[in-house]
Amino acid sequence: MREELESRFWKRQLAESRQAVAEQYLELSRRMEDWKQELACTQDVTAEWRKKRKGILRTMGLELYQVLLFQQGRQKEVCMTIRTEGRLVNSRELAEAVDGLGGVHWHLTPGEPAILTGKMHQVLLEAEPGLTMHFGVTRQTRHGEAISGDGFTQQRLPRGRIVMALCDGMGSGPVAFRESGEALELLEHLLDAGYSAESAARLVHTSLLLGESRERHPVALDVCELDLYQRTGHLTKLGGVCSFLKR
């Protein structure tokens, strides 16, 4: 009986491992298709920007080398390649210097460094999406517990994307808190790497199920991705009971 249970366990682990690898390759293919479409929506606006901002940038000790503009619907993004002659440059000051070009209010893309060092740099700017989001959270511990086993995160990503996530660690107390925190940390890393919220959530869920320790408990994930440009939202639910969105 025990050998049969062991066999079933490892067969299930193998099947889930194959599924996880297949999902990663599928996500990679989606990203490659996205890059292909982005190239079709990109144009070189170096001459126009250099003509309108050459004087201001020169006073800052900067030289505009190339500017590529990506535009898709309400979404606009520029990739600026600049020479700094080895000076330290405040990225926000650079964004302010080109603000208004193309009739757009530009700001730094999330994740861009605040200070530029070295001689050549690529800086990503994106248009203000026209919408803002306020984020708040409250939590309550289980009766008799000092620590809640639930975790949460909110992450602002490039191109107007905002991801909010709730993670319910199975059980309660410090163990559930640690496991939900590990799941959310892995989710954040995958989002930073460019995974969509849905793919990242599924990969986190699968990875935890395939953990090396059988003592690890599964977690329930609720991940909501908002697109401030398209003004849409997508909710991914993995594990646990049903979730509700309140308008």
Side-chain angles (χ1 to χ4, degrees):
M1 184 66 176
R2 181 174 180 178
E3 291 181 357
E4 182 180 352
L5 291 176
E6 288 278 348
S7 177
R8 288 181 181 179
F9 172 81
W10 290 113
K11 285 181 179 179
R12 188 184 67 201
Q13 292 285 88
L14 179 59
E16 292 176 344
S17 297
R18 289 174 174 172
Q19 180 64 27
V21 172
E23 288 180 359
Q24 292 186 58
Y25 279 115
L26 182 60
E27 180 66 18
L28 179 59
S29 69
R30 289 175 183 154
R31 292 297 302 149
M32 294 179 69
E33 184 63 28
D34 290 343
W35 294 331
K36 178 182 177 181
Q37 294 178 3
E38 289 172 9
L39 288 175
C41 300
T42 302
Q43 57 180 317
D44 192 323
V45 294
T46 306
E48 177 186 352
W49 282 45
R50 188 178 289 161
K51 179 180 179 180
K52 294 181 178 180
R53 289 295 188 270
K54 183 177 181 179
I56 296 177
L57 294 176
R58 182 176 294 174
T59 61
M60 298 173 64
L62 303 176
E63 180 185 352
L64 199 56
Y65 184 74
Q66 186 182 51
V67 183
L68 298 177
L69 171 65
F70 168 79
Q71 182 173 355
Q72 192 174 44
R74 297 188 183 95
Q75 180 182 340
K76 293 183 179 180
E77 183 180 66
V78 292
C79 177
M80 299 176 60
T81 304
I82 59 173
R83 299 178 188 269
T84 64
E85 300 300 330
R87 297 178 63 247
L88 295 179
V89 178
N90 188 308
S91 300
R92 293 186 180 277
E93 293 179 359
L94 175 61
E96 292 172 358
V98 300
D99 192 33
L101 284 176
V104 174
H105 178 46
W106 299 103
H107 67 89
L108 284 174
T109 297
E112 288 296 288
I115 301 296
L116 305 179
T117 60
K119 294 186 177 181
M120 293 287 290
H121 291 280
Q122 283 190 333
V123 182
L124 294 178
L125 305 176
E126 60 184 29
E128 287 284 357
L131 291 178
T132 58
M133 193 200 78
H134 299 279
F135 177 81
V137 65
T138 184
R139 56 165 47 169
Q140 183 173 350
T141 61
R142 184 179 178 179
H143 180 69
E145 295 284 358
I147 300 177
S148 171
D150 300 337
F152 64 90
T153 186
Q154 183 260 347
Q155 196 167 359
R156 185 180 180 90
L157 299 171
R159 300 189 173 179
R161 295 163 56 216
I162 295 179
V163 173
M164 300 175 290
L166 290 175
C167 184
D168 180 10
M170 295 297 103
S172 61
V175 174
F177 175 77
R178 174 176 54 81
E179 292 181 345
S180 64
E182 291 173 353
L184 290 173
E185 184 177 1
L186 179 55
L187 178 70
E188 291 172 351
H189 288 317
L190 291 171
L191 292 171
D192 286 335
Y195 281 79
S196 67
E198 181 177 0
S199 296
R202 294 187 183 282
L203 189 55
V204 168
H205 189 68
T206 304
S207 299
L208 294 179
L209 288 177
L210 299 178
E212 60 183 12
S213 174
R214 299 189 195 179
E215 299 301 322
R216 176 180 293 277
H217 306 94
V219 298
L221 272 174
D222 289 70
V223 182
C224 183
E225 181 176 18
L226 303 177
D227 188 325
L228 299 185
Y229 288 111
Q230 303 300 326
R231 303 180 182 186
T232 58
H234 181 77
L235 177 65
T236 300
K237 171 74 178 182
L238 293 170
V241 299
C242 60
S243 299
F244 297 93
L245 289 176
K246 183 178 179 181
R247 298 183 62 180

